[in-house]
Amino acid sequence: MDRPAAGASYQRFPRVKIRELKDDYAKFELRDTDASMANALRRVMIAEVPTVAIDLVEIEVNSSVLNDEFIAHRLGLIPLTSAAAMQMRFSQDCDACDGDGSCEYCSVEFNLSARATDSDQTLEVTSNDLRSADPKVCPVDQARAYQQALSSGDYDPNAGDQRQVILHLITRLWVLLFSITIELLSYCIFVADLRGILIVKLRRGQELRLRAIARKGIGKDHAKWSPAATVTFMYEPDIRINEELMDTLTLDEKRSWVESSPTKVFELDPVTQQVVLLRTPTCYFHGS
Amino acid sequence: MNAPDRYERFVVPEGTKNDNHSCRVSYERDTKIVNAASFTIEREDHTIGNIVRMQLHRDPNVLFAGYKLPHPLQYKIIVRIHTTSQSSPTQAYTQAVNDLDKELEYLKQAFEVCF
């Protein structure tokens, strides 16, 4: 790029263009900056965006087949809606409490109480059984189920809008122009029948009763706090057809050349009988 | 057994002085080469290091710029800068960090417009 005078700024002016945006998937292009910037965005999205996850579990009764720490570990991995995470404080920074997690500024309390009745059926304890003290923070599939069934809400409709950010960055290296396309891949959360995330299965007579406290954290501390499922970036491919060589092929050969590619990249223009690029190159790699 | 606690990856330890900036970034001049210095940044990793390094490369006064993590379990980076006599490592480093700040601010506004 052009060099300003010494002492002046070497700042770049990146541009962003969104290709696709859904609730849990986004794809965007990033231009006029460096791969290091794209990589830094990727690293921060995975490791340093704060979310809320269960961190302390007090188990009163556990007669299931899984031991206490096993169940606590599984509870920690349940994704919670974290739109409220930005307003919360980290519990190590919170001065309103002494860190035991009963403070409203830095933690959210959950309760779970399940007992298998005396029938022979297995009781599945799922994330739907987790009762939150704060309706804004709840397991993601609970929020989705309520959103789907929502006509008028006891619950805040914004509670289900979790930015589980999955980014796929696509970077194109031009000679003068840096462009980076970022794409979020889709992220399947739950089974189609909305039963919730399975925690443990209970047999007749087994019981599970616990109190869990969710706190704000970042992915660097533990992967349960990472909001991203996958984040990737790639350079946008620069495809150029060698016209001289292409002219040496007959029409049939051109047609078979166009058809030989697994995804439809080229097409044969019937009027000019030239092989041209079908659409922007970044669509080729994800079937989108 | 030797692994440090996970929170040490991002929680800055208490410094000898009372202010927060006491040990986050420290500076060491190189005694053998003119206009050369190392900056040690605590509790940072490749996310910051690579970005600062790439920005330093864009400055024509910088002869050498590189960063390393001395050990994966010690959570700091060392950025080494050599400049020409027209500039100094401190100046190049401050310039790079300020430019990155503005660039990221610009990027943030670009995102906010889009999303």
Side-chain angles (χ1 to χ4, degrees):
Chain A
M1 296 298 288
D2 42 50
R3 301 279 188 207
S9 156
Y10 302 105
Q11 183 194 351
R12 278 179 290 232
F13 298 96
R15 290 182 291 152
V16 176
K17 189 178 126 192
I18 299 183
R19 288 264 178 107
E20 263 181 71
L21 184 61
K22 288 189 241 173
D23 220 18
D24 53 6
Y25 177 118
K27 181 187 201 174
F28 59 94
E29 283 181 22
L30 186 62
R31 288 179 190 266
D32 298 338
T33 183
D34 208 280
S36 65
M37 188 69 71
N39 194 37
L41 270 175
R42 184 191 67 90
R43 286 177 66 98
V44 168
M45 278 187 261
I46 292 174
E48 296 189 50
V49 175
T51 32
V52 181
I54 289 177
D55 203 24
L56 280 179
V57 178
E58 286 174 14
I59 299 189
E60 291 172 50
V61 178
N62 173 22
S63 44
S64 68
V65 289
L66 301 179
N67 49 16
D68 290 351
E69 54 267 27
F70 199 136
I71 292 179
H73 178 247
R74 290 178 69 80
L75 285 169
L77 293 173
I78 294 173
L80 307 175
T81 54
S82 303
M86 293 310 282
Q87 280 81 40
M88 286 171 72
R89 306 178 204 167
F90 287 104
S91 55
Q92 65 244 29
D93 299 333
C94 185
D95 43 8
C97 68
D98 47 358
D100 66 346
S102 43
C103 157
E104 54 171 343
Y105 295 111
C106 65
S107 54
V108 179
E109 193 175 310
F110 284 81
N111 274 294
L112 188 146
S113 187
R115 190 199 172 95
T117 55
D118 291 326
S119 74
D120 257 338
Q121 254 195 337
T122 312
L123 175 69
E124 288 186 354
V125 181
T126 69
S127 57
N128 285 336
D129 299 317
L130 272 172
R131 298 271 167 261
S132 165
D134 179 359
K136 290 199 303 292
V137 180
C138 65
V140 171
D141 44 342
Q142 235 181 60
R144 282 206 173 191
Y146 277 115
Q147 240 188 358
Q148 285 184 11
L150 199 63
S151 49
S152 67
D154 313 307
Y155 281 73
D156 182 359
N158 294 327
D161 185 19
Q162 174 162 21
R163 292 278 168 229
Q164 293 256 335
V165 189
I166 301 118
L167 280 169
H168 181 97
L169 307 171
I170 302 174
T171 311
R172 179 185 195 158
L173 179 63
W174 288 12
V175 176
L176 292 176
L177 185 72
F178 285 86
S179 84
I180 300 180
T181 312
I182 302 177
E183 200 178 283
L184 293 165
L185 296 175
S186 43
Y187 169 63
C188 285
I189 297 181
F190 50 77
V191 286
D193 54 349
L194 303 175
R195 277 180 299 182
I197 298 168
L198 179 64
I199 300 172
V200 67
K201 294 186 185 180
L202 298 178
R203 193 185 183 270
R204 172 176 53 194
Q206 293 177 344
E207 190 179 350
L208 179 64
R209 213 166 50 222
L210 52 87
R211 177 177 160 252
I213 291 160
R215 288 191 190 148
K216 177 175 172 183
I218 58 176
K220 259 192 181 178
D221 196 354
H222 193 283
K224 69 188 177 192
W225 277 297
S226 172
T230 49
V231 186
T232 43
F233 74 92
M234 68 179 252
Y235 281 98
E236 190 172 51
D238 187 13
I239 302 174
R240 292 176 207 172
I241 301 170
N242 188 339
E243 295 295 341
E244 286 178 10
L245 280 177
M246 188 57 76
D247 287 339
T248 62
L249 297 178
T250 67
L251 187 59
D252 279 338
E253 281 173 340
K254 281 186 192 173
R255 200 172 286 131
S256 66
W257 192 87
V258 165
E259 279 160 22
S260 66
S261 114
T263 36
K264 214 165 178 307
V265 176
F266 305 101
E267 68 175 349
L268 195 55
D269 190 349
V271 173
T272 61
Q273 300 193 335
Q274 298 284 343
V275 178
V276 292
L277 226 50
L278 183 55
R279 49 193 167 155
T280 48
T282 47
C283 313
Y284 303 144
F285 293 91
H286 315 101
S288 47
Chain B
M1 186 175 69
N2 292 329
D5 294 314
R6 283 299 278 196
Y7 60 78
E8 298 220 5
R9 293 188 71 180
F10 46 91
V11 176
V12 185
E14 296 295 313
T16 48
K17 305 177 204 138
N18 280 334
D19 60 316
N20 287 332
H21 308 291
S22 57
C23 53
R24 190 69 196 257
V25 181
S26 59
Y27 168 86
E28 238 181 58
R29 252 196 63 209
D30 189 339
T31 48
K32 296 174 207 157
I33 305 175
V34 277
N35 289 323
S38 302
F39 292 86
T40 304
I41 308 172
E42 288 282 339
R43 303 301 187 255
E44 289 298 344
D45 58 2
H46 302 281
T47 312
I48 298 290
N50 199 23
I51 275 207
V52 169
R53 180 187 67 93
M54 291 300 287
Q55 186 65 26
L56 282 165
H57 283 169
R58 305 188 74 227
D59 187 345
N61 286 325
V62 168
L63 296 171
F64 176 92
Y67 83 99
K68 68 176 179 184
L69 272 73
H71 192 277
L73 293 178
Q74 284 171 15
Y75 304 120
K76 60 182 176 184
I77 54 170
I78 300 177
V79 181
R80 189 175 168 90
I81 307 174
H82 293 187
T83 58
T84 59
S85 48
Q86 287 176 340
S87 172
S88 81
T90 334
Q91 191 184 327
Y93 178 81
T94 346
Q95 179 80 52
V97 171
N98 285 333
D99 287 344
L100 283 170
D101 195 14
K102 289 183 219 154
E103 185 176 339
L104 286 165
E105 189 62 44
Y106 188 90
L107 183 60
K108 180 177 173 188
Q109 281 168 13
F111 267 110
E112 278 168 1
V113 164
C114 279
F115 277 96

